[in-house]
Amino acid sequence: MSETVEVNETQDAQDTLAVAVAELRPSLEALLMVADQPLDQVTLASAVGYPVEEVAAALTGLASEYDEQGRGFELRSVAGGWRFYTREEFAPVVEAFVLDGQQSRLTQAALETLAVVAYKQPVSRARVSAIRGVNVDGVMRTLLTRGLVEEAGQDGETGANLYRTTGYFLERIGITSLDDLPELAPYLPDMDDMEDELGALAQPAPAPAPSAEDAPPVGHEEPSHGPGVEPDGGTEPT
């Protein structure tokens, strides 16, 4: 029995060594260098053959090391995983090289539509259009094409397609989850100001003073009923 246990322990040790054949930090750097999306700690641990705890500590250590050395890139935890990013202060250099002087940004309409989806998701196109007050079909197609928005099933009552933001959206704005989105309250108008504006809009416009030309001739009386006269006083065109 003891010999069987010893054989199993020896085999386990050999298996572990067969997987973790390289140093941890360089192995993580090599994987992250070729990754086209954030990699979570479990995936990285499985790839390099080290325990998740050691991988997590190594990732944190690498991130701190890059910060201390002032590298042109940084290692960040975004959208549930880790990935290399160029530092913000070098964005103009990278932008000029990649875009060759051309700006490729979302329009104001696209940004507003994306914000509505982010805060109201899952949401239908009709709901987004109602909130923005304009048709958003074209803008939604752009957001879908760029991978910032995706379909999220159908509304149970209307059957309309619902939309939500993607993991790529979280990655692009640099947050881990939707809980990290800023609160809307500080950006909303003050309720007192809104009440004043609504009250002003509710006030009826003053009626223009009648001119001498509009006055009926002497002895003429307006009909109180008959064709062309509505019960509320409005007139139909003849």
Side-chain angles (χ1 to χ4, degrees):
M1 181 67 177
S2 60
E3 292 181 359
T4 302
V5 173
E6 290 178 359
V7 170
N8 289 339
E9 290 179 350
T10 302
Q11 185 64 43
D12 292 342
Q14 291 175 347
D15 292 341
T16 300
L17 291 175
V19 174
V21 295
E23 293 184 31
L24 178 54
R25 286 195 175 190
S27 298
L28 292 174
E29 289 177 323
L31 291 174
L32 292 168
M33 190 67 68
V34 299
D36 59 357
Q37 61 184 0
L39 299 178
D40 61 77
Q41 295 172 173
V42 175
T43 300
L44 289 169
S46 176
V48 299
Y50 282 85
V52 175
E53 294 77 11
E54 292 186 29
V55 170
L59 290 168
T60 302
L62 284 171
S64 299
E65 182 179 310
Y66 299 146
D67 290 340
E68 293 172 359
Q69 295 176 352
R71 298 290 187 89
F73 59 89
E74 60 184 337
L75 181 59
R76 288 160 48 185
S77 176
V78 173
W82 292 80
R83 188 177 183 183
F84 283 125
Y85 290 85
T86 56
R87 291 196 183 277
E88 184 177 356
E89 52 264 41
F90 302 110
V93 178
V94 177
E95 185 174 284
F97 174 74
V98 174
L99 301 179
D100 192 23
Q102 299 298 317
Q103 298 293 327
S104 179
R105 301 170 183 260
L106 291 175
T107 63
Q108 184 66 28
L111 291 173
E112 291 176 4
T113 300
L114 184 58
V116 173
V117 175
Y119 282 95
K120 293 292 186 180
Q121 61 185 305
V123 63
S124 66
R125 290 192 187 191
R127 178 60 176 159
V128 177
S129 295
I131 293 174
R132 291 204 55 228
V134 294
N135 185 291
V136 298
D137 287 354
V139 175
M140 287 293 288
R141 282 194 294 270
T142 297
L143 297 177
L144 285 165
T145 301
R146 294 201 176 192
L148 297 168
V149 168
E150 64 184 0
E151 293 188 3
Q154 295 181 324
D155 186 276
E157 296 182 359
T158 65
N161 289 333
L162 300 176
Y163 298 89
R164 65 188 175 197
T165 54
T166 63
Y168 179 62
F169 164 77
L170 298 177
E171 179 187 343
R172 292 297 297 170
I173 65 175
I175 63 176
T176 303
S177 71
L178 295 174
D179 294 334
D180 297 329
L181 287 173
E183 294 291 336
L184 283 178
Y187 303 97
L188 295 176
D190 185 76
M191 288 303 298
D192 293 336
D193 295 338
M194 289 186 66
E195 290 178 359
D196 293 341
E197 292 180 8
L198 291 175
L201 291 174
Q203 293 294 330
S211 64
E213 296 179 355
D214 297 329
V218 178
H220 175 76
E221 294 183 0
E222 293 291 338
S224 59
H225 63 277
V229 179
E230 293 183 341
D232 63 353
T235 59
E236 293 278 357
T238 57

